[in-house]
């Protein structure tokens, strides 16, 4: 059985094709890059509309498959930016209707977790999901994926990108900040903002920009920004693991590509006799394969959707989903 998954919650549009064993036959992405400033939802959606059909064709070609080989069409139903979600949902509906194949809407955050679980071999992890728009600690408990902690303002990747933009780094800035941080050797004081199980990043962003304006070296500011914000999310993750007595931690989202983050989470896991898992970078970032795989799991567990059920949901909550496949 072949499932074609379309991702498009934010600036990345992705098309992935997977089979029933989660062999990933292709997984292509195309990213909208704003000329200046942040991401404009309407422009990102226009970009997705322009590239989607080409990406579908390219993905089929690289998988060595034809349209007729597709058995199921899955798409990211939310959470995300309205115009982007609507564009991708329209594309998925058109494809499913014209191929006369079933369609399946997928929760984007759960897709990060499911592709990680399948490809890294962990079974029941606490997911630390860190991307541009999202910062969440998620785990399976009482038959649902629950958000145990999250950001109260902006996502951690967003914070890094905003900092990078102000100091003149290219977008997305996470990788450049990581490179600079490696050369930093001074830990500067920044607000450590953990509130219960939640975190917040707007204060640390302002404080880091101020330090830079006052003449602190960019390398030291980047290193301090990483150390402080990563320590915050690691702390909350550890508390979730302790509370739920889980001994696996899984990383997901673009920020999970950061090596220093990996080291810090690894150290925390080892100290408590737990294990850390990180998917391949191509599966950490937003991608179509994770949507395809989760769509397949839903379908296999008996879920069926009509076109009426495929309304997008900008605020699709992780714990809204009835996890019928676990
Ligand atoms: P979502 O829609 O889930 O919020 P997204 O559109 O932000 O996702 P992702 O590809 O998951 O997309 O994540 C992109 C983010 O990851 C950007 O903010 C980017 O700066 C950050 N990032 C990428 N690589 C690194 C890295 N090595 N270190 C830190 N941050 C990174
Ligand atoms: Fe994501």
């Amino acid at each position: 059985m072949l499932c074609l998954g379309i991702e498009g919650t934010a600036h990345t549009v992705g098309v992935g094709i997977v089979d029933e064993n989660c062999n990933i036959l292709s997984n292509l992405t195309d990213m909208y890059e704003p000329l200046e400033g942040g991401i404009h939802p309407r422009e990102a959606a226009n970009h997705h509309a322009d590239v989607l059909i080409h990406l579908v064709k390219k993905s089929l070609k690289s998988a060595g498959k034809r349209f007729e080989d597709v058995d199921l069409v899955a798409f990211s139903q939310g959470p995300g930016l309205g115009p982007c979600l609507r564009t991708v949902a329209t594309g998925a509906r058109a494809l499913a209707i014209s191929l006369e194949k079933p369609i399946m809407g997928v929760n984007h955050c759960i897709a990060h977790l499911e592709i990680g679980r399948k490809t890294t071999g962990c079974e029941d992890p606490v997911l630390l999901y860190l991307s541009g728009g999202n910062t969440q600690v998620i785990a399976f408990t009482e038959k649902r994926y629950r958000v145990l902690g999250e950001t109260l303002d902006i996502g951690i990747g967003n914070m890094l990108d905003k900092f990078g933009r102000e100091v003149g780094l290219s977008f997305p800035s996470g990788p450049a900040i990581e490179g600079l941080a490696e050369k930093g050797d001074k830990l500067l004081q920044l607000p450590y903002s953990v509130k219960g199980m939640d975190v917040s990043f707007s204060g640390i962003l302002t404080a880091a920009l101020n330090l830079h304006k006052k003449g602190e070296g960019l390398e030291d500011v980047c290193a301090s920004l990483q150390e402080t914000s990563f320590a915050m999310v690691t702390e909350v993750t550890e508390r979730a693991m302790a509370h739920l007595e889980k001994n696996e931690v899984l990383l997901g989202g673009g920020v999970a590509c950061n090596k220093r983050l990996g080291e810090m989470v690894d150290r925390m896991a080892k100290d408590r006799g737990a294990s850390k898992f990180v998917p391949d970078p191509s599966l950490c970032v937003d991608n179509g394969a994770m949507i395809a795989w989760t769509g397949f799991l839903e379908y296999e567990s008996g879920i069926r959707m009509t076109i009426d059920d495929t309304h997008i949901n900008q605020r699709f909550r992780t714990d809204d989903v009835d996890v019928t496949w676990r």
Side-chain angles (χ1 to χ4, degrees):
M1 179 165 175
L2 277 194
C3 181
L4 183 147
I6 309 177
E7 156 62 29
T9 54
H11 54 46
T12 300
V13 58
V15 178
I17 297 170
V18 306
D19 68 11
E20 66 280 1
N21 297 315
C22 200
N23 291 310
I24 298 172
L25 307 185
S26 74
N27 193 21
L28 305 180
T29 56
D30 194 314
M31 202 205 274
Y32 157 75
E33 291 180 42
L35 292 175
E36 56 170 2
I39 167 172
H40 189 296
R42 188 66 253 161
E43 282 173 18
N46 289 345
H47 161 268
H48 297 356
D50 286 344
V51 304
L52 184 54
I53 186 61
H54 306 292
L55 208 58
V56 168
K57 285 183 185 160
K58 237 164 108 179
S59 202
L60 282 167
K61 194 171 176 201
S62 107
K65 301 289 174 188
R66 294 164 306 161
F67 276 104
E68 308 84 87
D69 299 325
V70 174
D71 300 297
L72 174 68
V73 177
F75 72 99
S76 54
Q77 200 166 9
L81 306 172
C84 300
L85 290 171
R86 276 189 284 276
T87 300
V88 160
T90 305
R93 287 180 203 122
L95 197 57
I97 291 170
S98 59
L99 297 177
E100 296 180 27
K101 292 294 150 91
I103 187 167
M104 196 65 65
V106 169
N107 178 291
H108 175 93
C109 306
I110 291 179
H112 276 291
L113 197 146
E114 289 300 353
I115 197 70
R117 233 163 49 92
K118 183 65 184 174
T119 61
T120 68
C122 61
E123 280 172 14
D124 186 20
V126 169
L127 170 73
L128 175 57
Y129 169 32
L130 304 177
S131 66
N134 292 295
T135 299
Q136 295 187 335
V137 177
I138 301 171
F140 187 69
T141 164
E142 293 169 32
K143 298 197 166 67
R144 286 192 183 238
Y145 284 117
R146 314 240 173 215
V147 179
L148 299 153
E150 62 192 318
T151 179
L152 297 170
D153 44 40
I154 53 176
I156 188 168
N158 225 306
M159 181 272 288
L160 295 171
D161 294 337
K162 282 185 175 173
F163 176 82
R165 190 161 72 228
E166 294 292 324
V167 303
L169 303 175
S170 58
F171 176 86
S173 305
I177 291 173
E178 175 171 23
L180 287 161
E182 275 165 22
K183 296 178 216 134
D185 55 10
K186 194 157 77 171
L187 185 63
L188 305 164
Q189 192 154 6
L190 288 167
Y192 185 93
S193 193
V194 174
K195 296 168 187 176
M197 287 297 283
D198 295 327
V199 290
S200 115
F201 296 109
S202 52
I204 193 173
L205 170 63
T206 311
L209 287 171
N210 282 340
L211 286 177
H212 182 247
K213 269 187 212 131
K214 279 185 196 146
E216 293 288 355
L218 189 55
E219 292 163 354
D220 291 337
V221 180
C222 287
S224 309
L225 197 55
Q226 284 199 169
E227 292 302 305
T228 311
S229 59
F230 294 171
M232 283 159 47
V233 292
T234 307
E235 180 197 322
V236 175
T237 306
E238 175 165 32
R239 235 168 323 122
M241 292 171 76
H243 178 68
L244 297 173
E245 299 180 352
K246 307 248 188 210
N247 56 15
E248 295 172 331
V249 54
L250 172 69
L251 296 180
V255 183
C257 301
N258 188 289
K259 290 204 184 61
R260 179 61 188 143
L261 174 82
E263 277 169 23
M264 289 169 77
V265 174
D266 197 48
R267 172 75 193 276
M268 176 274 282
K270 286 214 173 84
D271 282 354
R272 45 183 306 107
S275 313
K276 180 206 71 172
F277 300 84
V278 194
D280 184 78
S282 65
L283 298 173
C284 276
V285 298
D286 288 352
N287 66 91
M290 70 179 190
I291 302 296
W293 175 240
T294 311
F296 171 78
L297 290 176
E298 292 184 16
Y299 187 82
E300 272 288 293
S301 75
I303 298 179
R304 297 292 181 272
M305 285 189 184
T306 64
I307 293 295
D308 276 349
D309 300 323
T310 61
H311 283 296
I312 60 125
N313 184 351
Q314 271 176 264
R315 301 189 196 287
F316 196 175
R317 287 197 53 89
T318 304
D319 53 13
D320 277 348
V321 177
D322 192 10
V323 185
T324 43
W325 59 96
R326 275 187 75 168

